[in-house]
């Protein structure tokens, strides 16, 4: 079935190389070195092994290919174009240009065939681990003897930089522990990076390092030797119990006058060097974007092969569907990301039982209720499950001998946990959640950012969300984390105040099919909010709502709060009610609230009401957005301290007393201003039904 014609192999490899350097040259920007060096290994994999259908990039049982070294994107685009994906030559000519499908680094969702957004080194490797977990998990759940309906490999290509990044070590360790036999890593070991030789900073013996983590190590093989690379991949595929790494010794910038020099890593070769490279590679020196017909025809063979592969699988699926009709339906729905009908009912009684409860505990309850309805909700914590309340009760932990387990022990590896969760979501068929303390969300910032950029449904359970965690002190007390998560576009951040809002937050997170959600939860119990007298927690779905108001009509003062500060804000409101008409607004999610229609936002925060106080146990920065320039914020703009929580709230002035004091002050200022203002015409007063001037 495959070509064993060495000449044709070389022709195709060189065609890929020349096309890749043409992309970079045309853009006058990009990375020619890695594509030139990696081309033989990538070609060997794609030509001999990768099961994919260029005409249906979403075929669910395709092998996954992740280019972790995303800077080598020109090679991936050349491969996608020449193997028949819907990526035209014009798109290649527009490499790195506005509106093209060929951005500087691969972006999932933009380019057909790109499985993951890569470029931040190390991420793609850990994504691939997540994909392999998803495959193994789905196979364990859905395959039956003679019915291997979920059955594909995950391949990832990494560079030196990918393996220098710590996340690759974290993820590799887990992959080894879990025995991900269908994960195969091709390591482009060229020993060169931007600053020069890796000799200066990378003494690791990669073979031994991976061996020590239960990986099967193949090679080193000569990066120009297709047969040797193919043999190594064959051997890797034959190892069912361990993931495999194939070490490919390559030459960065192969064929160019800059071969083995850092200079060819990230800058166009220049017209002269491009011509010389093509000459060396046996291609017409001056023809740009030219592919010899024989090479093009050979690479396009992927279309026919892919169609046949998929058709064969479809036949298997049809048979599977006859024998296991319900499972077939469920599998396909799951892979489409559909939640089972009526899943929301798991969370009935969203207003909670009115008892004080830590929102992390409420979250654990919500998760477990949801997990009963959604049996492909899977996840875990970075060794904090008992604290994060992330364990699904009565379910196994994922392991090489328990691949159906829905709980995952990530160990203390927040970074890999985030990136693996992305891989799970990218693969599909599961809905991942992961947990740690909010302050350690910083360890996983890059994967969170990539989840948001890629529109992945990943749910973050971040507990211990403020100084309220108490004695553990400032290292563990998040101050700037809430603000910094809110700064990530596309990440929905929700900080619920009680059990009711927590249930709504979980529901919202699951319903958000195309984006991640961070749930920000307390360690300490939050006082009960008597929802019989207050607005329903259901309204938290809108991000912000009027919880309570002392009087009718337009309020004099608005107190805003999220999470554990909502109850103190309410207490402050009740204290001030004797002097003014006070409104208390629960604002668990800026993102959700900002997405509401203007008239709803106006109904909650009337523009005319300028006396506003926000209370939140985190950086005050950003709350100006809601309290305006005339308002005040009770926040924390320094690091915390080690002491009992109650004392900390007192010392940091983020409780009811401070909210009431700030509110009273604003009311006084307002009264003074009003007394000093000239009387407006009487008819305007009457029309407003209120005293004119500020609210
Ligand atoms: C996390 C991260 N840090 C830095 C960079 C910038 N960068 C791009 S490639 C690269 C290193 C290149 O070395 P290597 O991985 O060996 O790739 P090669 O030189 O073989 O192309 C760096 C530092 C990045 N993309 N991601």
């Amino acid at each position: 079935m495959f070509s064993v014609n060495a000449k044709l192999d070389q022709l195709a490899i060189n065609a890929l190389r020349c096309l890749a350097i043409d992309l970079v040259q045309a853009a006058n920007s990009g990375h020619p070195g890695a594509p030139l060096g990696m081309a033989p290994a990538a070609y060997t994999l794609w030509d001999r092994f990768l099961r994919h259908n260029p005409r249906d990039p979403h075929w669910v049982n395709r092998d996954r290919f992740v280019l972790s070294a995303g800077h080598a994107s020109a090679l991936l685009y050349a491969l996608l174009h020449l193997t028949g994906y819907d990526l035209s030559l014009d798109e290649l000519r527009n490499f790195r240009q506005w509106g093209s499908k060929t951005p500087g680094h691969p972006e999932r969702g933009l380019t057909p065939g790109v499985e993951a957004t890569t470029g931040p080194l190390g991420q793609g490797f850990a994504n691939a681990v997540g994909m392999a977990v998803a495959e193994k998990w789905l196979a364990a759940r859905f395959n039956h003897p003679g019915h291997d309906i979920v059955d594909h490999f995950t391949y990832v290509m990494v560079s030196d930089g990918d393996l220098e990044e710590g996340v690759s070590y974290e993820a590799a360790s887990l992959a080894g522990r879990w025995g991900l036999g269908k994960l195969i890593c091709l390591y482009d070991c060229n020993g060169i990076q931007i600053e020069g030789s890796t000799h200066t900073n990378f003494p690791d013996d990669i073979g031994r390092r991976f061996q020590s983590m239960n990986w099967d190590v193949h090679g080193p093989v000569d990066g120009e030797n297709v047969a040797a690379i193919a043999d190594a991949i064959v051997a890797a595929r034959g190892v069912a119990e361990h993931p495999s790494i194939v070490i490919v010794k390559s030459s960065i910038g192969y064929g160019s006058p800059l071969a083995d020099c850092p200079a060819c890593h990230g800058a166009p070769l220049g017209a002269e060097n491009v011509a010389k490279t093509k000459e060396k590679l046996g291609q017409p020196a001056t023809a740009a974007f030219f592919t010899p017909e024989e090479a093009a025809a050979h690479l396009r063979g992927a279309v026919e092969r892919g169609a046949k592969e998929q058709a064969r699988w479809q036949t298997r699926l049809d048979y599977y569907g006859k024998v296991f009709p319900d499972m077939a339906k469920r599998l396909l729905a799951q892979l489409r990301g559909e939640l089972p009908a009526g899943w929301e009912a798991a969370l009935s009684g969203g207003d909670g039982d009115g008892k004080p409860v830590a929102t992390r505990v409420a979250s654990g309850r919500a998760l477990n209720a949801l997990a009963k309805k959604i049996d492909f909700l899977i996840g875990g914590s970075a060794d904090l499950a008992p604290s994060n309340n992330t364990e699904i009760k009565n379910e196994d932990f994922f392991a090489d001998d328990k691949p159906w387990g829905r709980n995952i022990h990530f160990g203390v590896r927040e970074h890999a946990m985030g990136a693996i969760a992305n891989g799970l979501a990218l693969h599909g068929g599961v809905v991942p959640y992961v947990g740690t303390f909010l302050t350690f969300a910083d360890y996983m910032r890059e994967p969170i950012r990539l989840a948001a950029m890629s529109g992945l449904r990943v749910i973050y359970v971040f507990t211990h969300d403020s100084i309220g965690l108490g004695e553990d002190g400032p290292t563990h007390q998040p101050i700037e984390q809430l603000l910094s998560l809110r700064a990530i576009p596309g990440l929905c951040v929700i900080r619920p105040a009680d059990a009711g809002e927590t249930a709504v937050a979980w529901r919202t997170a699951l319903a958000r099919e195309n984006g991640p959600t961070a749930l920000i939860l307390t360690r300490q119990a939050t006082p009960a909010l008597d929802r019989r007298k207050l607005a329903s927690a259901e309204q938290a779905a809108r991000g912000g709502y009027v919880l309570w108001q002392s009087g009718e009509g337009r309020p004099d003062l608005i107190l805003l709060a999220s999470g554990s500060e909502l109850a103190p804000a309410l207490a402050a409101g009740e204290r001030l009610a004797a002097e003014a008409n006070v409104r208390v607004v629960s604002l668990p999610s800026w993102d959700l609230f900002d997405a509401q229609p203007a008239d709803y936002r106006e109904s909650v925060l009337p523009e005319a009401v300028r006396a506003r106080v926000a209370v939140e146990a985190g950086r005050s920065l950003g709350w100006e957005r809601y309290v305006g320039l005339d308002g005040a914020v009770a926040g924390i703009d320094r690091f915390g301290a080690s002491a009992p929580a109650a004392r900390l709230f007192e010392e940091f002035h983020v409780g009811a007393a401070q909210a009431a004091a700030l509110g009273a002050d604003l009311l006084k200022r307002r009264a003074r201003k009003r007394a000093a203002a000239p009387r407006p015409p009487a008819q305007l007063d009457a029309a407003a039904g209120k005293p004119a001037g500020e609210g």
Side-chain angles (χ1 to χ4, degrees):
M1 174 166 84
F2 299 116
S3 149
V4 281
N5 180 336
K7 249 174 106 183
L8 186 55
D9 286 341
Q10 204 56 55
L11 191 71
I13 289 165
N14 289 345
L16 287 164
R17 285 173 157 150
C18 291
L19 196 50
I21 61 173
D22 277 344
L23 261 70
V24 176
Q25 196 56 34
N28 197 24
S29 152
H31 301 78
L36 285 171
M38 283 179 173
Y43 164 81
T44 307
L45 175 65
W46 281 55
D47 184 65
R48 309 284 210 271
F49 302 100
L50 194 73
R51 276 182 312 171
H52 63 129
N53 182 356
R55 294 292 145 84
D56 185 359
H58 301 293
W59 170 33
V60 295
N61 198 47
R62 68 193 180 278
D63 287 340
R64 305 308 198 262
F65 173 79
V66 180
L67 181 66
S68 190
H71 60 276
S73 58
L75 175 61
L76 180 56
Y77 298 146
L79 275 165
L80 292 170
H81 169 71
L82 287 175
T83 56
Y85 280 81
D86 181 17
L87 192 66
S88 68
L89 198 59
D90 276 348
E91 291 290 353
L92 266 55
R93 287 184 204 277
N94 273 327
F95 180 49
R96 293 181 157 238
Q97 304 309 306
W98 176 261
S100 79
K101 286 188 193 164
T102 48
H105 293 85
E107 293 178 30
R108 185 249 185 189
L110 184 63
T111 315
V114 167
E115 298 280 4
T117 296
T118 55
L121 290 166
Q123 295 300 317
F125 177 83
N127 294 161
V129 172
M131 291 174 182
V133 169
E135 193 268 351
K136 192 171 172 117
W137 190 88
L138 288 166
R141 293 246 157 186
F142 287 94
N143 289 355
H144 291 278
H147 290 276
D148 289 338
I149 206 63
V150 181
D151 177 22
H152 69 76
F153 282 89
T154 300
Y155 297 100
V156 57
M157 265 193 111
V158 301
S159 62
D160 296 311
D162 279 302
L163 297 189
E164 287 174 2
E165 281 290 351
V167 67
S168 71
Y169 159 67
E170 295 180 14
S173 178
L174 287 167
R177 172 75 285 153
W178 293 332
L180 301 179
K182 286 199 174 137
L183 174 65
I184 296 177
C185 174
L186 299 185
Y187 168 30
D188 178 58
C189 175
N190 62 29
I192 295 291
Q193 57 193 121
I194 294 174
E195 293 183 11
S197 165
T198 54
H199 188 68
T200 58
N201 63 72
F202 197 33
D204 305 27
D205 180 330
I206 287 297
R208 282 168 56 201
R209 175 171 135 187
F210 275 75
Q211 235 158 23
S212 77
M213 295 186 287
N214 272 341
W215 283 60
D216 226 64
V217 179
H218 306 266
V221 294
D222 172 4
E224 289 304 308
N225 188 337
V226 169
I229 297 167
D231 284 348
I233 298 175
V234 168
R237 286 164 52 104
V239 180
E241 333 58 71
H242 308 290
S244 293
I245 182 166
V246 178
I247 302 172
V248 183
K249 283 273 184 202
S250 72
S251 158
I252 191 169
Y254 180 90
S256 81
L258 298 177
D260 299 319
C261 299
C264 70
H265 161 84
L269 296 173
E272 205 183 316
N273 282 339
V274 166
K276 283 185 183 158
T277 309
K278 287 183 179 172
E279 223 162 43
K280 176 107 191 262
L281 297 175
Q283 289 229 352
T286 52
F289 292 95
F290 165 79
T291 303
E293 187 40 46
E294 214 186 335
H298 172 60
L299 285 161
R300 250 198 324 274
V303 171
E304 203 185 316
R305 279 203 310 274
K308 278 191 188 145
E309 285 285 0
Q310 186 169 352
R312 261 197 293 274
W313 178 81
Q314 187 62 46
T315 308
R316 272 159 49 204
L317 178 68
D318 293 344
Y319 183 41
Y320 179 88
K322 288 208 175 85
V323 187
F324 310 102
D326 288 347
M327 291 193 86
K329 244 189 254 159
R330 269 181 36 211
L331 172 64
L332 295 178
Q334 240 169 271
L335 286 161
R336 285 192 299 270
E338 291 170 17
L339 302 181
W343 65 273
E344 299 98 327
L347 293 176
S348 61
D351 281 346
D353 57 10
K355 291 196 190 120
V357 67
T359 52
R360 65 173 168 147
V361 172
S363 166
R365 288 183 196 146
L367 165 66
N368 272 279
L370 286 162
K372 285 202 183 87
K373 288 256 176 193
I374 306 168
D375 68 1
F376 50 100
L377 184 59
I378 74 172
S381 163
D383 198 36
L384 287 169
S387 275
N388 300 145
N389 291 287
T390 41
E391 187 175 328
I392 302 176
K393 305 286 176 223
N394 308 315
E395 292 284 346
D396 285 320
F397 277 80
F398 181 80
D400 47 359
D401 58 348
K402 287 189 180 132
W404 53 81
R406 295 173 64 188
N407 290 297
I408 302 177
H409 287 305
F410 285 101
V412 191
R413 298 187 185 89
E414 295 82 5
H415 194 172
M417 177 173 72
I420 289 171
N422 286 354
L424 291 169
L426 284 164
H427 184 282
V430 293
V431 176
Y433 68 89
V434 291
T436 185
F437 290 162
L438 175 58
T439 194
F440 303 135
D442 287 351
Y443 277 75
M444 53 193 292
R445 189 165 182 83
E446 187 59 40
I448 297 174
R449 183 169 191 265
L450 284 167
M453 200 179 291
S454 310
L456 304 180
R457 178 166 50 186
V458 178
I459 301 169
Y460 306 106
V461 178
F462 292 138
T463 69
H464 297 58
D465 72 345
S466 76
I467 53 165
L469 65 85
E471 292 84 346
D472 272 345
T475 53
H476 285 50
Q477 291 162 358
I479 295 292
E480 73 280 21
Q481 280 68 23
L482 190 48
L483 172 68
S484 83
L485 289 175
R486 284 173 177 151
I488 297 178
L491 173 68
C492 179
V493 180
I494 313 180
R495 185 170 186 249
D498 63 357
E501 286 193 5
T502 305
V504 173
W506 262 101
R507 212 172 56 206
T508 306
L510 278 161
R512 282 191 89 226
E513 280 178 32
N514 298 314
T517 304
L519 308 177
I520 313 294
L521 306 161
T522 64
R523 170 185 184 269
Q524 75 280 19
T526 56
L529 295 166
D530 187 350
R531 294 287 179 176
R532 287 164 308 181
K533 296 186 190 141
L534 303 166
S536 165
E538 289 297 323
Q539 293 204 50
R542 307 193 80 162
Y545 63 97
V546 179
L547 177 75
W548 171 85
Q549 189 170 324
S550 61
E552 298 289 314
R554 185 193 290 169
D556 304 310
L557 172 71
I558 302 177
L559 302 178
L560 301 98
S562 78
S564 51
E565 285 65 68
L566 187 61
L570 182 61
E574 284 166 350
R575 231 178 272 178
L576 293 169
E579 346 171 0
N581 182 3
V582 185
R583 172 177 289 187
V584 175
V585 167
S586 175
L587 200 62
S589 174
W590 295 5
D591 311 279
L592 295 173
F593 185 67
D594 290 354
Q596 297 302 312
D599 57 346
Y600 176 74
R601 282 181 281 125
E602 168 66 19
S603 75
V604 177
L605 298 176
E607 204 182 333
V609 184
R610 309 283 288 270
R612 302 178 183 189
V613 177
V615 205
E616 191 175 72
R619 277 305 303 263
S620 59
L621 190 65
W623 275 102
E624 307 84 0
R625 185 178 178 81
Y626 301 102
V627 300
L629 295 177
D630 298 335
V633 185
I636 306 176
D637 293 314
R638 50 157 284 194
F639 291 119
S642 173
R647 180 70 186 268
L648 290 171
F649 277 102
E650 227 175 274
E651 297 287 344
F652 285 98
H653 306 296
V654 278
Q658 179 72 354
L662 290 172
D665 192 49
L666 286 181
L667 287 170
K668 260 187 235 149
R669 264 201 274 163
R670 176 176 171 276
R672 273 201 302 272
K673 238 178 162 180
R674 189 148 333 133
R679 291 282 307 153
Q683 68 272 25
L684 279 185
D685 265 18
K690 290 271 294 176
E694 71 179 73

